[in-house]
Amino acid sequence: AEESAMPTELYVGNLPFSARAEDLQEAFGPFGVTEVRVITTVKGRSKGYGFVHVQSDKSTEACSLVTKMDGRNLRVVPCENKAQHDESILENDLLEIFMAFDVNGDGVLTNDEVLAIARLNKPDAGKEDAAVALHKMDTNKDSEVDPIEFVDYFKGQMAKQPPKTHAAI
């Protein structure tokens, strides 16, 4: 019974870049918040994710009911084991990359911003290459790539990579 009283840590992704700890506290307050962290840049701007500790018996409800903030679809999942925590870290790293290429800071990638990413792998990539890449990532077909689409696309690409093998010693 004591174990169920322990708080559950939730990863909250795709936060607005204006998000503050107070915003998470307010959103998750009904679920018995014990700790809130919004991960920020050195300048204090949200990196687009954070962590919330809620009462364990309310964590499932929190994940299913707190789905939006400032019009953005949130990704709320429990960090119950190392694999989930590692996945959260991967998502965070991908969000960092997303933010680096979101030149105008509007929270979506346009064709020109996707072109900059395409040129990392193919320096002579053109607008047509970027259009193809954007089309592959843009699952809701609004001609922009939001952070969830970006993360989901690259996690899918990484899953397709063959596992690395190590030479026998």
Side-chain angles (χ1 to χ4, degrees):
E2 276 189 40
E3 207 172 309
S4 65
M6 300 270 308
T8 297
E9 182 178 28
L10 302 177
Y11 164 81
V12 184
N14 201 34
L15 287 170
F17 297 128
S18 61
R20 301 165 308 148
E22 294 82 11
D23 300 322
L24 286 180
Q25 178 72 44
E26 183 179 328
F28 288 89
F31 308 103
V33 173
T34 60
E35 184 180 337
V36 175
R37 284 181 314 180
V38 173
I39 308 305
T40 60
T41 65
V42 291
K43 294 182 178 179
R45 178 180 170 202
S46 166
K47 290 185 175 186
Y49 68 97
F51 298 91
V52 179
H53 290 232
V54 299
Q55 290 177 5
S56 290
D57 60 342
K58 296 187 178 185
S59 63
T60 301
E61 188 179 9
C63 288
S64 62
L65 293 179
V66 182
T67 60
K68 287 193 179 280
M69 184 175 287
D70 293 346
R72 294 177 71 114
N73 292 324
L74 299 178
R75 180 181 303 244
V76 182
V77 295
C79 294
E80 294 175 345
N81 59 46
K82 178 142 175 47
Q84 284 181 327
H85 199 303
D86 289 349
E87 183 170 333
S88 296
I89 291 171
L90 171 62
E91 288 180 5
N92 298 339
D93 291 346
L94 289 169
L95 284 170
E96 290 274 343
I97 294 166
F98 177 92
M99 289 173 30
F101 285 96
D102 181 17
V103 177
N104 61 5
D106 63 356
V108 294
L109 298 180
T110 60
N111 202 58
D112 288 339
E113 291 165 327
V114 171
L115 177 59
I117 296 169
R119 287 186 172 154
L120 291 175
N121 288 327
K122 185 178 172 190
D124 61 342
K127 288 201 179 264
E128 290 152 12
D129 298 305
V132 168
L134 188 139
H135 180 75
K136 288 179 181 176
M137 288 187 261
D138 183 22
T139 56
N140 67 3
K141 304 304 174 203
D142 63 357
S143 300
E144 299 174 326
V145 177
D146 66 43
I148 288 177
E149 291 171 320
F150 183 84
V151 168
D152 287 346
Y153 174 79
F154 280 101
K155 280 174 47 181
Q157 291 299 307
M158 294 169 93
K160 292 177 187 175
Q161 298 294 321
K164 293 183 180 178
T165 56
H166 301 283
I169 298 178

Coordinates of all heavy atoms in Angstrom, one line a residue, residues 132-144 149:
V132 N 9.8 16.7 -50.5 CA 9.5 15.3 -50.3 C 9.7 14.9 -48.8 O 8.9 14.2 -48.2 CB 10.5 14.5 -51.2 CG1 10.5 13.0 -50.8 CG2 10.2 14.6 -52.6
A133 N 10.7 15.5 -48.2 CA 11.0 15.2 -46.7 C 9.8 15.7 -45.9 O 9.3 15.1 -45.0 CB 12.3 15.8 -46.3
L134 N 9.4 17.0 -46.2 CA 8.3 17.6 -45.4 C 7.0 16.7 -45.6 O 6.3 16.4 -44.6 CB 8.0 19.0 -45.9 CG 7.0 19.8 -45.1 CD1 7.5 21.2 -44.9 CD2 5.6 19.8 -45.7
H135 N 6.8 16.3 -46.8 CA 5.6 15.4 -47.1 C 5.6 14.1 -46.2 O 4.6 13.7 -45.7 CB 5.5 15.1 -48.6 CG 4.3 14.3 -48.9 ND1 3.0 14.8 -48.9 CD2 4.2 13.0 -49.2 CE1 2.2 13.8 -49.2 NE2 2.8 12.7 -49.4
K136 N 6.8 13.5 -46.1 CA 6.9 12.3 -45.3 C 6.7 12.5 -43.8 O 6.1 11.7 -43.1 CB 8.3 11.7 -45.5 CG 8.6 11.1 -46.9 CD 10.0 10.5 -46.9 CE 10.2 9.9 -48.3 NZ 11.6 9.5 -48.4
M137 N 7.1 13.7 -43.3 CA 7.0 14.0 -41.9 C 5.6 14.6 -41.5 O 5.2 14.4 -40.4 CB 8.1 15.0 -41.5 CG 9.5 14.5 -41.4 SD 10.6 15.7 -40.7 CE 11.3 16.3 -42.2
D138 N 5.0 15.2 -42.5 CA 3.7 16.0 -42.2 C 2.5 15.1 -42.2 O 1.8 15.0 -43.2 CB 3.6 17.1 -43.3 CG 2.4 17.9 -43.1 OD1 1.9 18.0 -42.0 OD2 1.9 18.5 -44.1
T139 N 2.3 14.4 -41.1 CA 1.3 13.3 -41.1 C -0.1 13.9 -41.1 O -1.1 13.3 -41.5 CB 1.4 12.4 -39.8 OG1 1.4 13.3 -38.7 CG2 2.7 11.6 -39.9
N140 N -0.3 15.2 -40.6 CA -1.6 15.8 -40.6 C -1.9 16.6 -41.9 O -2.9 17.3 -42.0 CB -1.9 16.6 -39.3 CG -1.1 17.8 -39.2 OD1 -0.3 18.2 -40.1 ND2 -1.2 18.5 -38.1
K141 N -0.9 16.7 -42.8 CA -1.0 17.3 -44.1 C -1.4 18.8 -44.0 O -2.3 19.2 -44.8 CB -2.0 16.5 -45.0 CG -1.6 15.0 -45.1 CD -0.2 14.9 -45.6 CE 0.3 13.4 -45.7 NZ 1.7 13.3 -45.6
D142 N -0.8 19.5 -43.1 CA -1.1 21.0 -43.1 C 0.1 21.8 -43.7 O 0.2 23.0 -43.5 CB -1.4 21.4 -41.7 CG -0.2 21.2 -40.7 OD1 0.8 20.6 -41.1 OD2 -0.3 21.5 -39.5
S143 N 1.0 21.1 -44.4 CA 2.2 21.7 -45.0 C 3.2 22.3 -44.0 O 4.0 23.1 -44.4 CB 1.7 22.8 -46.0 OG 0.9 22.2 -47.0
E144 N 3.1 21.8 -42.8 CA 4.1 22.2 -41.8 C 4.4 20.9 -41.0 O 3.6 20.0 -40.9 CB 3.6 23.3 -40.9 CG 3.2 24.6 -41.5 CD 2.5 25.5 -40.6 OE1 1.8 25.1 -39.6 OE2 2.8 26.7 -40.7
E149 N 5.2 15.5 -35.0 CA 5.4 14.9 -36.3 C 6.9 14.6 -36.5 O 7.3 13.6 -36.9 CB 4.9 15.7 -37.4 CG 3.4 15.8 -37.5 CD 2.8 16.8 -38.4 OE1 3.4 17.9 -38.6 OE2 1.8 16.5 -39.1

